[in-house]
Amino acid sequence: MKQSTYDTGADVRERALLVSLVTDEVKRSGSDPKHSLQELVHLAETAGVEVAGRIMQNRDVPDTKWFVGKGKAQELKAAIAAEGVTTAIFDQELSGAQVRNLEAELDAKIIDRTQLILDIFAGRAKTREGILQVELAQLTYLLPRLAGQGVNLSRQGGGIGTRGPGETKLETDRRHIRNRINELKRQLKEVIAHRNLHRERRKKTGVVQIALVGYTNAGKSTLLRQLTSADVLAENKLFATLDPTTRTLALPSGKEVLLTDTVGFIQNLPHDLVAAFRATLEEANEADLLLHVVDASSPMRDRQRTVVEEVLGELGAAGKPTLLVYNKIDEVPSNAIGLLAGGADTIRLSAFNARDLDHLLHRIEDKLLGGICTLRLPASRGDLSALAYRVGDVLSRETEEDDLILTLRINPADMEKWGRPLEAYRTAEMPETAASEADR
Ligand SMILES: Nc1nc2c(ncn2[C@@H]2O[C@H](COP(=O)(O)OP(=O)(O)O)[C@@H](O)[C@H]2O)c(=O)[nH]1
Ligand SMILES: [Mg+2]
């Protein structure tokens, strides 16, 4: 169960047909089925599935036997045969009986949205807690649907020799799953109890970590690819245990940090999956800096941004240094760019614009190491220049008549705490990177 359904290690990519049934209930729920299907395409691609086509049907209620109408089921069957499709992915939840009927009739693997999402989580979970949470969610989802899946679970947990008289295979399988679920819950309790301990240990490696968070389709993976060259996997370097979603990133100063992609947020995430999803976001808690990527071109961007912020808050990551990155600015009409909400730690860019990316790197550096500021101190005030050298990282030093001009990198928190006497001597010039932001 731990492996993704699609992660077969084979070269052939799974080809799938995506199906959405727009029922009265779906219409009443107020969610947009077209948008949801579009998101399903993205999710399928994230899971490594090739999307061969999509089919939508309107129907008052689902067909009890086939979910879609009988005629539509025949249409699906023909499309599956013609397209060399191995899997049909439904945007709504199916009953066990519907899965069984469709599987037999269409001769294809039948998956619904929830299972697809769980597959993505399974492929991404890294921490022990994440792996346990995802397996727990998978089994909890599977249990009531077991009748519909021709799954042989006898390999799980070993011998079935204890099967009682008259007990069916299905009951045995159910019992195995229940035992496994209890075992997972027990292990999770242990892991959670030790969680903070591990985190502190990992922190000591001293490597700066940055995590990309945000809604699915915001452009997190694109940014990871664009910012780091594809062949510089972190794996090849110091950190043999890292997975391919983490890469080393060189900042303008030459300092190397780790950049990690995370599983994106998903609209209407089924409630049972929330714990599993959060466990895959563990990196966000470990990170020194979060890049919260928002799709600026989406009409849902404000809502999406709020949801992400809320969940990060619940994870205990609310106070973390964060840059709000409005991506896909190339898709936003120029007169609407000013409407993008956000404070000083906001940046607007396109992942495909080299100048924007360079700018982002400078902003990351400023955020991690502190911004650059210039001080004009009276040469007689040796106490102030000594303080500047203590709290900041002096980059250049010049004298002009009776003044000493220092350019230094200083962390805003340090400036606040120790640098107060220096405030009065800051020159009005804008720091380098803030100035280039202003000309947008
Ligand atoms: N126009 C435009 N499209 C982008 C930009 N960044 C990403 N995309 C596209 O948005 C889609 C989702 O990107 P992806 O990186 O997979 O999003 P993720 O789910 O957050 O990882 C892809 O089709 C990208 O090509 C951008 O700056 N501008
Ligand atoms: Mg992605």
Side-chain angles (χ1 to χ4, degrees), residues 42 215-222 327-328 330-331 350-352:
H42 186 72
Y215 248 85
T216 188
N217 205 42
K220 298 179 297 301
S221 304
T222 308
N327 187 30
K328 308 198 191 181
D330 52 298
E331 300 270 11
S350 164
F352 300 124

Side-chain angles (χ1 to χ4, degrees), residues 329-342:
I329 209 77
D330 52 298
E331 300 270 11
V332 180
S334 50
N335 60 359
I337 291 180
L339 299 175
L340 299 170

